[in-house]
Amino acid sequence: MAQDLTPKYTVPGVEREAAGRLIGVLRLRLHALNDLHLTLKHVHWNVVGPHFIAVHEMIDPQVDRVRDMADDVAERIAALGGVAQGTPGALVAERTWDDYSIGRADAIAHLGALDLVYTGVIEAVRAAIKEAGDIDTATEDLLIEQLRDLEQFQWFVRAHLESSGGSLATGEARTEEEAATKGAELG
């Protein structure tokens, strides 16, 4: 049974029921962003190989920006009259994806897996933008800004996985493990 997230009050110009729908959308975005920044830190700590320093140093600014995104989403939830559930238990209970599956591995292997992670996050943000756009342009704008940054981060990741001919080594991968294996073959 779906939880009723309708707030007792919300921002002017948005109906309470619509704000509840937005809060539900934003809760999943908050969970995804919290999960993403932890996953990025995990990668940062567990990359090895000849590309270690490049990937290690590329990841930290992404972690910082994704943490800021999570804060912005949590504050938007609060502004809409909702509760920003930022606990690990809420994330695990409500997420629709599995934990990141790659441990200590070659930097390029991690980037192959991260490409799939970013694809999932970006697709979900695009869906959230569509839903928010029907209700509230301020929330839609917040998500659009985040989408641009997430797409740029995926571009940074993909630059390590792309051949000079424009082929993406992990283009056919369907799982993180498969993408990691294909990425490692490049390294």
Side-chain angles (χ1 to χ4, degrees), residues 5-7 16-26 131 134-135:
L5 299 174
T6 304
R16 288 178 41 247
E17 293 76 19
R21 289 197 314 275
L22 278 176
I23 291 164
V25 167
L26 291 174
E131 194 164 349
D134 293 337
I135 300 169

Side-chain angles (χ1 to χ4, degrees), residues 62-116:
Q62 293 181 27
V63 170
D64 293 342
R65 177 63 184 119
V66 171
R67 283 180 176 158
D68 287 343
M69 289 179 195
D71 190 53
D72 291 343
V73 167
E75 289 175 357
R76 187 67 188 156
I77 290 169
L80 289 165
V83 175
Q85 292 288 345
T87 63
L91 187 160
V92 171
E94 296 177 20
R95 71 181 177 190
T96 58
W97 58 91
D98 294 325
D99 270 341
Y100 185 75
S101 59
I102 310 301
R104 185 175 176 85
D106 178 81
I108 304 302
H110 271 296
L111 293 179
L114 269 180
D115 181 39
L116 289 186

Side-chain angles (χ1 to χ4, degrees), residues 35-172:
D35 185 80
L36 179 59
H37 81 73
L38 291 170
T39 297
L40 289 167
K41 258 332 232 191
H42 170 83
V43 170
H44 173 84
W45 295 322
N46 289 290
V47 294
V48 297
H51 303 285
F52 162 78
I53 199 65
V55 172
H56 185 79
E57 290 182 353
M58 178 182 74
I59 295 295
D60 264 345
Q62 293 181 27
V63 170
D64 293 342
R65 177 63 184 119
V66 171
R67 283 180 176 158
D68 287 343
M69 289 179 195
D71 190 53
D72 291 343
V73 167
E75 289 175 357
R76 187 67 188 156
I77 290 169
L80 289 165
V83 175
Q85 292 288 345
T87 63
L91 187 160
V92 171
E94 296 177 20
R95 71 181 177 190
T96 58
W97 58 91
D98 294 325
D99 270 341
Y100 185 75
S101 59
I102 310 301
R104 185 175 176 85
D106 178 81
I108 304 302
H110 271 296
L111 293 179
L114 269 180
D115 181 39
L116 289 186
V117 170
Y118 271 119
T119 294
V121 170
I122 288 167
E123 287 173 347
V125 172
R126 286 188 173 280
I129 288 168
K130 284 183 183 177
E131 194 164 349
D134 293 337
I135 300 169
D136 176 48
T137 56
T139 302
E140 178 187 39
D141 183 60
L142 171 75
L143 294 171
I144 290 169
E145 176 188 351
Q146 293 181 354
L147 177 65
R148 282 192 298 269
D149 288 343
L150 292 166
E151 287 177 345
Q152 183 182 48
F153 296 157
Q154 186 178 37
W155 170 54
F156 292 168
V157 166
R158 285 182 166 180
H160 293 268
L161 303 170
E162 186 178 354
S163 73
S164 60
S167 297
L168 193 60
T170 55
E172 300 298 317

